[in-house]
Amino acid sequence: MPLILIFYFLLIRPQQQRAKKHKALIEGIKKGDTIVTSGGLVGKVTKPGDDEITVELADGVRVQIIKQMVIDVRGKNQPVAAND
């Protein structure tokens, strides 16, 4: 029994909290937000949808991305970190 509690508090519960936080992050995506995908693409949301979003990666370059692939959402005014 103590082993089950240890697994719950060290593995299962933190994973559930991360999943809950990620779901809230994805549901909060709106037009104009800067997002980062799991593939490393950084772009601005031009058209949010239920399952997919349209992201502008550069001037005139738009792609559709599945919302679940978004790992980070930055606000309209937050700068993108440089890779120096």
Side-chain angles (χ1 to χ4, degrees):
M1 183 69 174
L3 189 60
I4 294 171
L5 288 174
I6 291 171
F7 272 112
Y8 176 76
F9 284 108
L10 292 178
L11 297 174
I12 298 170
R13 190 162 184 262
Q15 176 61 32
Q16 288 174 340
Q17 289 175 338
R18 278 191 299 270
K20 188 176 181 181
K21 192 182 290 186
H22 186 253
K23 183 178 178 183
L25 179 85
I26 288 173
E27 288 175 353
I29 294 175
K30 57 191 175 300
K31 184 176 180 175
D33 284 346
T34 301
I35 60 143
V36 179
T37 68
S38 60
L41 298 175
V42 178
K44 186 176 286 191
V45 177
T46 58
K47 183 180 170 191
D50 292 333
D51 295 328
E52 296 178 350
I53 55 175
T54 302
V55 178
E56 185 172 23
L57 301 176
D59 290 334
V61 180
R62 292 188 176 149
V63 294
Q64 283 188 319
I65 298 175
I66 298 172
K67 273 190 169 182
Q68 295 297 324
M69 294 295 110
V70 175
I71 59 169
D72 191 20
V73 177
R74 298 182 176 132
K76 294 179 184 179
N77 299 326
Q78 272 186 307
V80 176
N83 265 349
D84 293 337

